[in-house]
Amino acid sequence: MTRVESMGGDTSADFTSGDGSGETLAPKPYVLSEVAGPLSRDELVAIDAWWRAANYLAVGQIYLLDNPLLREPLQPQHIKPRLLGHFGTVPGLNLVWVHANRQIVERNLNAVFVAGPGHGGPGPNACGWLEGTYSELYSHIKQDEAGMAAFFRQFSFPGGVPSHCAPETPGSFHEGGELGYSLLHAYGAALDNPHLTVFCIVGDGEAETGPLATSWHAHTFINPARDGAVLPILALNQYKIANPTMLARIPESQLLELIRGWGYHPHVVAGDDPAAVHQEMAATLEACLDRIAEIQQAARRDGASGAQLWPMIVLRTPKGWTCPPVVDGQQVEGTFRAHQVPLPEARTDESHRRVLEQWLRSYRPGELFDDTGRPAGELLMMVPSGARRMSANPVANGGGLRDLQLPDWRTYGVAVAVRGAAAHEATRVLGALLRDVTAANPTNFLTFAPDELASNRLQAILEVTGRDWQAEIGQFDEKLDRNGRVIEVLSEHMCQGLLEGYLLTGRHGVFTCYEAFIHIVDAMFNQHAKWLEASAQVPWRRPIASLNYLLSSHVWRQDHNGFTHQDPGFLDVVVNKRAEVVRVYLPPDTNTLLSTYDHCLRSKHYVNVVVAGKQPQLDYLTVDEAALHCARGLGIWDWAGNNDDQEAAPDVVLACAGDIPTLETLAAAAILRERLPNLRLRVVNVVDLMRLQPEAEHPHGLSDREFDSIFTKSSPIIFAFHGYPWLIHRLAYRRTNHGSLHVRGYKERGTTTTPFDMVMLNDMDRYHLVMDVIDRVPTLGTAAALRQDMVNAKLRARAWTREHGADIPEVADWTWPG
Ligand SMILES: Cc1ncc(C[n+]2csc(CCOP(=O)(O)OP(=O)(O)O)c2C)c(N)n1
Ligand SMILES: [Mg+2]
């Protein structure tokens, strides 16, 4: 390991400190020093010119409305009224980009760039403009003076592009907003992409987040024969927004030990002398990429042989490197104060404006752009060709998505000779379908689980593959496999992030998780959904495969694990997102789960949330019926009601969504049919929750006319719902009959008990549903005898659980009496 000593492990001591007098100092133009290294003088000059140009273009984006080439002294009207953006991280991003370009050209690398500190959007934007991609995608932003002016103006400007890396950013498949997911996206992109190199910059602040801290281990799933490589570059600029970072303030020896413990060989590049850092970075990148090539060649020749010590880089350079060192008497360059806009008063304060101009001129734009504003030839020579440009690599734009090869889901269906008589574990049957999907799509389909694949009954997949694992394999381990197509790691963050990276680069996958613990990735779901929403508005962005969740071990059947494991609230989070991208399905039985999942695997650019139980559950619909029911998304189960003449409104509608609510609803319907044969009863089952929303709100929404015809305009609706009951109200509040809608669901009453006690605790049991009907159908009067029987039945069932520790047989063994 070599390092440049000029900055060492020290923090900001090498910089001129502000003396408190309020002065603002401009950066001085620098001369490239003579430092030995792999770069010839010409190469050094060209690399540095790119770096200066990209930094210039970044400062221009943050500040300038006009006068992009400084043809006249900067005036207030040249400066944006609202100065938005983050400069501090930009020089580091640009440095990595240009050095990566040198390697892309030399090695003909197929590479993409992930900016962990994606708040530095001006950096990748600038590189995309220098590479010409910006002009190809946005025709008004040419590589000339007017184009540069438009490029500057649109940044962080109403009607323009966001301040962070976003779907609008050429070459980015990583949203730069919520920190923590860069390495996971990088590793997800590398999976099954054997010829891809991912340069992944990790912010040292970002590295403090939980998801990032666990991400270092993701190479456990990288098979160097099958997968591409990730080169992590820890941008140790020592600060985050307002504080030093933890990794910057531990002794370097400890940091290096930590990195080795994560399974990487660290290379430190440190300093603040541009020429020295360029030489060091060039030498280090060469060494890292040589090592990656060696690892890959050996594995591709001899087969994957276990854990590798992958190279990684620690880049210790000043935050805000090259910006004004001192502003209003305070040290800015090399401190947290460089995080955003170093000269916040540039429009209104003349001294700030003067220093801004000196700062821009310190990059010597006259050498970087010709008279028309086009990048100078020296810069263009640094640009890889066509799709080799990281800003234009198709991997970062949907990755050439191919549809999955899917078997006919109907052949996995279960026979239903008698409704509601036999039971199946729905997810186990789905496992057989997913097994064959895995086998038929050996390079573009993966299943992710936080150690719950078998627990959620999907173990059939392991009949055709194993669990991806490149670390040591022990004698008693099961189904660990260097080429495994299942990734199991007890980190919901890792499952989600790796799958996102995999999807964003054009592949398919499933994430199966306990329902309660999917909340761990609420925020990641939010960000991914935002990416889908925003990218759908960007004309050149291609759609990606949907993110498919299979949530099992759900609230109603976590009776054995207890209260901590009972939470259906992810659905509430999901429906916050725009209707165009979210879908929620609650298939009531095995065949409907198969049909639903077939649909999800074919769909694009959605988040599909499917909740399905893993315990034996009665089968209600044949394969053909399930196909129809799922296509409609909801429907009247006339066999379960007794309102044959559907022209006449029923006395009551029993609606249900979810497997356990469907069971309780059918059991309630059976009691009502027997005890109140004159009651006109309609049973409606909802698979696709979004059907409840108005059609103006969601593409799946029912028209008011259809809704009224199914749920009636005025009959009471007793709705048994899988999740928190208020979600149904939220979706249906505008419907004509909302005033008669009465929803039962999970109201946060849970513990370790029996399955039926769980529904009783939440008043969603069959007996309670019957009482709800009695209470809400005016023509029934008090139905006192039936009501009392229901109270008794509930008390009996409760007492039985207390005495026997199990559910009463009349409930546990119940089948549809039809
Ligand atoms: C999860 C999350 N928490 C907080 C923030 C607010 N934030 C934006 S940038 C930043 C500091 C990032 O520091 P670092 O990763 O070191 O980036 P750099 O120093 O390169 O700017 C913070 C805390 C965020 N974007 N995401
Ligand atoms: Mg930092």
Side-chain angles (χ1 to χ4, degrees):
M1 186 187 66
T2 48
R3 48 175 303 136
V4 179
E5 290 300 340
S6 62
M7 197 181 157
D10 199 356
T11 55
S12 58
D14 292 349
F15 302 106
T16 326
S17 292
D19 62 4
S21 67
E23 67 181 340
T24 298
L25 303 179
K28 295 192 176 57
Y30 59 83
V31 181
L32 284 172
S33 54
E34 292 291 341
V35 185
L39 300 173
S40 69
R41 188 74 194 171
D42 286 351
E43 276 183 307
L44 174 65
V45 166
I47 282 197
D48 187 68
W50 176 290
W51 187 55
R52 283 186 285 124
N55 291 342
Y56 178 88
L57 293 166
V59 180
Q61 288 171 78
I62 293 172
Y63 289 95
L64 297 187
L65 271 180
D66 204 354
N67 192 17
L69 290 171
L70 304 176
R71 293 200 192 273
E72 53 177 311
L74 276 182
Q75 304 293 326
Q77 67 270 23
H78 298 145
I79 315 260
K80 296 183 178 181
R82 281 158 47 82
L83 297 175
L84 307 169
H86 299 78
F87 182 74
T89 195
V90 163
L93 297 178
N94 289 341
L95 185 91
V96 175
W97 191 294
V98 65
H99 282 269
N101 269 0
R102 173 168 176 263
Q103 294 298 329
I104 290 170
V105 173
E106 279 195 4
R107 295 169 195 250
N108 191 24
L109 285 182
N110 175 17
V112 288
F113 187 89
V114 174
H119 42 279
N125 281 345
C127 294
W129 188 83
L130 287 171
E131 292 186 345
T133 319
Y134 229 98
S135 310
E136 289 162 22
L137 298 173
Y138 301 94
S139 55
H140 64 297
I141 297 187
K142 302 221 162 29
Q143 281 181 309
D144 58 20
E145 185 171 359
M148 194 190 290
F151 176 60
F152 288 176
R153 186 185 172 86
Q154 59 142 21
F155 173 79
S156 267
F157 203 75
V161 301
S163 63
H164 293 45
C165 291
E168 289 87 343
T169 314
S172 178
F173 63 96
H174 173 76
E175 182 87 57
E178 190 170 279
L179 298 169
Y181 318 133
S182 61
L183 256 190
L184 294 172
H185 287 173
Y187 276 109
L191 285 164
D192 284 326
N193 250 331
H195 305 298
L196 187 71
T197 303
V198 188
F199 294 101
C200 180
I201 326 297
V202 177
D204 51 353
E206 181 192 17
E208 293 176 7
T209 65
L212 199 294
T214 194
S215 306
W216 300 109
H217 303 287
H219 61 71
T220 307
F221 309 105
I222 293 291
N223 173 336
R226 175 195 64 183
D227 304 318
V230 174
L231 179 61
I233 298 150
L234 176 65
L236 196 69
N237 60 23
Q238 314 192 34
Y239 290 95
K240 33 197 198 262
I241 296 181
N243 286 284
T245 58
M246 297 192 298
L247 293 182
R249 296 295 170 88
I250 57 174
E252 190 171 282
S253 57
Q254 232 178 55
L255 174 66
L256 300 183
E257 284 307 307
L258 191 58
I259 291 172
R260 287 191 193 97
W262 291 330
Y264 298 87
H265 176 90
H267 298 255
V268 178
V269 175
D272 62 354
D273 171 33
V277 173
H278 285 314
Q279 290 289 15
E280 194 63 29
M281 188 66 181
T284 303
L285 260 191
E286 268 176 32
C288 291
L289 293 169
D290 284 350
R291 181 66 196 133
I292 287 172
E294 269 170 33
I295 292 173
Q296 291 181 334
Q297 278 159 17
R300 288 166 198 193
R301 191 182 57 232
D302 309 326
S305 59
Q308 303 292 335
L309 208 56
W310 292 91
M312 97 164 235
I313 297 176
V314 177
L315 179 63
R316 192 192 282 266
T317 53
K319 188 150 182 168
W321 194 9
T322 69
C323 82
V326 175
V327 176
D328 298 334
Q330 288 190 304
Q331 183 66 37
V332 170
E333 189 192 26
T335 78
F336 64 90
R337 292 194 190 90
H339 183 66
Q340 290 191 353
V341 178
L343 295 163
E345 305 302 331
R347 187 171 160 110
T348 50
D349 178 313
E350 224 223 293
S351 72
H352 276 204
R353 194 163 56 251
R354 208 183 53 245
V355 171
L356 171 61
E357 185 171 329
Q358 290 169 315
W359 176 15
L360 283 160
R361 290 194 193 283
S362 75
Y363 298 119
R364 308 199 299 278
E367 295 173 13
L368 305 173
F369 310 103
D370 70 15
D371 211 38
T372 69
R374 185 175 163 75
E378 179 176 78
L379 296 177
L380 296 177
M381 274 162 44
M382 297 299 307
V383 177
S385 64
R388 286 291 189 243
R389 295 170 294 175
M390 292 190 290
S391 58
N393 194 322
V395 167
N397 183 12
L401 180 66
R402 283 177 291 127
D403 287 346
L404 286 174
Q405 299 295 314
L406 292 176
D408 181 357
W409 68 270
R410 292 161 188 264
T411 59
Y412 302 81
V414 296
V416 182
V418 182
R419 283 188 208 291
H424 283 89
E425 296 161 298
T427 56
R428 191 185 291 279
V429 178
L430 178 67
L433 174 73
L434 293 179
R435 171 196 64 207
D436 296 344
V437 174
T438 302
N441 301 276
T443 59
N444 65 343
F445 179 80
L446 288 172
T447 302
F448 296 82
D451 196 26
E452 292 160 6
L453 186 89
S455 175
N456 286 338
R457 308 276 193 272
L458 296 180
Q459 59 268 59
I461 300 173
L462 299 177
E463 292 166 18
V464 295
T465 185
R467 299 170 165 113
D468 187 6
W469 193 258
Q470 311 303 322
E472 188 183 327
I473 298 181
Q475 183 187 356
F476 304 111
D477 299 337
E478 262 183 19
K479 290 282 183 184
L480 297 185
D481 183 346
R482 303 282 187 228
N483 291 300
R485 309 298 304 163
V486 170
I487 292 187
E488 289 221 73
V489 54
L490 209 174
S491 161
E492 285 76 6
H493 291 125
M494 282 183 76
C495 292
Q496 171 85 19
L498 290 171
L499 174 56
E500 286 177 2
Y502 196 64
L503 298 175
L504 286 160
T505 52
R507 285 75 60 76
H508 305 257
V510 169
F511 177 9
T512 180
C513 186
Y514 284 1
E515 184 185 38
F517 301 147
I518 196 68
H519 269 308
I520 291 168
V521 299
D522 278 3
M524 295 182 78
F525 151 78
N526 271 338
Q527 297 301 321
H528 186 73
K530 283 174 189 292
W531 176 277
L532 295 178
E533 290 170 353
S535 63
Q537 309 301 317
V538 177
W540 54 267
R541 280 277 170 194
R542 299 200 185 93
I544 60 172
S546 299
L547 196 166
N548 296 312
Y549 291 104
L550 176 67
L551 305 184
S552 196
S553 310
H554 63 52
V555 53
W556 300 110
R557 295 309 309 270
Q558 280 287 5
D559 33 274
H560 58 302
N561 278 324
F563 197 36
T564 54
H565 287 54
Q566 295 157 356
D567 196 306
F570 187 60
L571 303 185
D572 299 79
V573 175
V574 168
V575 301
N576 288 335
K577 288 288 158 284
R578 280 233 296 265
E580 299 95 88
V581 303
V582 291
R583 304 286 182 269
V584 175
Y585 299 103
L586 296 156
D589 70 356
T590 296
N591 286 336
T592 48
L593 174 62
L594 289 170
S595 170
T596 299
Y597 234 84
D598 175 74
H599 173 77
C600 293
L601 293 172
R602 290 173 197 278
S603 73
K604 294 204 175 75
H605 225 67
Y606 298 146
V607 175
N608 294 309
V609 183
V610 180
V611 187
K614 64 182 184 183
Q615 305 292 347
Q617 192 58 244
L618 295 175
D619 304 316
Y620 310 112
L621 301 188
T622 65
V623 162
D624 288 340
E625 289 167 342
L628 277 176
H629 188 54
C630 291
R632 279 193 316 262
L634 89 184
I636 298 170
W637 283 3
D638 50 4
W639 51 267
N642 63 357
N643 185 45
D644 291 339
D645 176 8
Q646 285 171 17
E647 290 304 310
D651 297 318
V652 64
V653 176
L654 290 186
C656 48
D659 50 11
I660 297 297
T662 301
L663 172 71
E664 293 307 314
T665 296
L666 289 173
I671 296 169
L672 289 165
R673 282 168 50 145
E674 188 194 332
R675 299 289 301 272
L676 301 172
N678 294 328
L679 180 76
R680 286 174 304 153
L681 180 71
R682 175 179 292 173
V683 173
V684 175
N685 181 266
V686 181
V687 182
D688 174 354
L689 206 59
M690 297 308 170
R691 297 293 270 162
L692 299 179
Q693 280 198 302
E695 63 182 338
E697 299 287 328
H698 197 285
H700 289 191
L702 286 179
S703 69
D704 280 337
R705 225 179 129 77
E706 275 178 288
F707 192 93
D708 290 351
S709 80
I710 292 171
F711 289 96
T712 79
K713 283 189 171 170
S714 59
S715 304
I717 308 165
I718 310 297
F719 199 130
F721 175 50
H722 173 86
Y724 291 101
W726 25 96
L727 177 56
I728 298 297
H729 289 293
R730 205 174 131 190
L731 298 175
Y733 77 98
R734 285 212 211 145
R735 302 298 192 174
T736 318
N737 199 11
H738 182 249
S740 305
L741 176 63
H742 179 68
V743 187
R744 292 289 174 192
Y746 183 67
K747 45 187 187 183
E748 203 66 9
R749 302 268 154 72
T751 182
T752 304
T753 184
T754 68
F756 193 63
D757 201 30
M758 274 298 297
V759 287
M760 285 195 291
L761 280 172
N762 290 280
D763 294 336
M764 200 185 72
D765 58 280
R766 55 200 65 182
Y767 307 126
H768 214 101
L769 295 178
V770 170
M771 289 190 271
D772 283 336
V773 170
I774 296 170
D775 291 345
R776 284 182 167 72
V777 177
T779 53
L780 280 179
T782 56
L786 177 58
R787 197 172 208 296
Q788 184 166 311
D789 285 351
M790 294 298 100
V791 173
N792 290 346
K794 193 160 175 164
L795 289 172
R796 231 180 14 252
R798 165 75 43 84
W800 184 280
T801 64
R802 300 308 187 260
E803 193 181 339
H804 300 276
D807 281 328
I808 193 166
E810 68 195 53
V811 168
D813 303 334
W814 184 87
T815 55
W816 174 248

